[in-house]
């Protein structure tokens, strides 16, 4: 059997919480209330959603469970991407982030099934890494005058640094300053 | 960055479908109807469940999303476990299997987030491997006279061979004989 890494816990800190009331771009909020359907009033909330370009194996618009309720970003990874793109800053709001975390190495590589646990009892189950798309790149370009190249540049620069998507496993509140405890499950590569 | 294995598709075949109408032990059925809440009338169905011994990080009985709606087993792995335990056969019903698959190497090692797609359009998202427990071992012992050692023996013998748990991503029907197409996502080990 291939190499097996044991399960372990890691910790980080919530730096900011954001909601997308009507557009893709998010806005800072004081408290993020998580329900089983995601963030109430957020454009990505819902127990269910329709499939899109990210699921080419389903006909476009197919009803499916919504495993992409939340976008979770790393402050360190955003800074790295900003450096690569030669821009002063990349704000989490520009690319629709709901949670900005800090202190977790290579957040975007956290394995699917990982569980993010917050002091209120709220918990998020990770579906997996979020592939960077031109839609996000365009939003960045709209915030940085004179840099239309960022639309495509982001897709390249943010590979494995665009954070995670996940769904609410336990309801509760999340605030900036919260410590987040993360369960990483036993890992092994599948060669079958 | 550590080794990255690319995404790929694999195929297997459904050998049997089963439902647990009232007890842990399942019964063969002609068709398995999958809804977002799992298998209607099955003891493990529900959009939500209460946490138990498998989630020591939550107080027992905590409400949570039900990521364990279905138990998915491999005919080849069951045969291997039966050989290790020196019993003629290990039936999927004894350990609460809902789906018996064949033709997929090392099914229990399929990574979390993998998607099982069936001809009807039904799809199951894999949460991850199912740890073998004494409860299953006891059920096997009850089916094999004179072998009380199977209760603990199964827990040892079935490690990484006890199949997967998952939840319904798309509603639809599953039948014995169906070809199952499986999307395995890009894989990398997380060392953070």
């Amino acid at each position: 059997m291939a190499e097996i890494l044991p399960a372990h816990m890691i910790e980080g800190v919530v730096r900011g919480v954001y909601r997308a009331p009507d557009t893709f771009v998010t806005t800072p909020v004081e408290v993020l209330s998580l329900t089983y359907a995601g963030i109430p009033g957020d454009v990505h909330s819902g127990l269910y959603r329709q499939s899109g370009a990210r699921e080419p194996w389903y006909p476009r618009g197919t009803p499916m469970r919504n495993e992409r309720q939340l976008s979770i970003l790393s402050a360190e990874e955003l800074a790295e991407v900003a450096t690569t793109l030669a821009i002063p800053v990349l704000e989490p709001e520009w690319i629709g982030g709901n949670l900005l975390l800090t202190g977790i190495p290579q957040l975007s590589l956290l394995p699917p099934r990982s569980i993010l646990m917050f002091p209120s009892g709220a918990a998020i189950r990770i579906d997996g890494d979020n592939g960077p798309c031109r839609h996000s790149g365009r939003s960045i370009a709209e915030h940085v005058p004179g840099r239309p190249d960022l639309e495509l540049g982001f897709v390249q620069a943010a590979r494995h640094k665009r954070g995670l998507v996940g769904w609410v496993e336990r309801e509760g509140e999340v605030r900036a300053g919260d410590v987040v405890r993360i369960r990483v499950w036993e890992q092994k590569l599948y060669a079958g």
Side-chain angles (χ1 to χ4, degrees), chain A residues 79-93:
Chain A
E80 284 174 40
V81 175
T83 299
T84 304
L85 295 173
I87 56 177
V89 67
L90 200 176
E91 298 291 356
E93 296 96 319

Side-chain angles (χ1 to χ4, degrees), chain A residues 20 23-24 37-39 41-46 48 66 68-70 96 98:
Chain A
T23 64
F24 173 75
I39 303 167
D42 187 276
V43 292
H44 290 104
S45 73
Y48 314 105
N66 184 8
R68 299 175 56 88
Q69 293 174 339
L70 293 135
N98 297 117

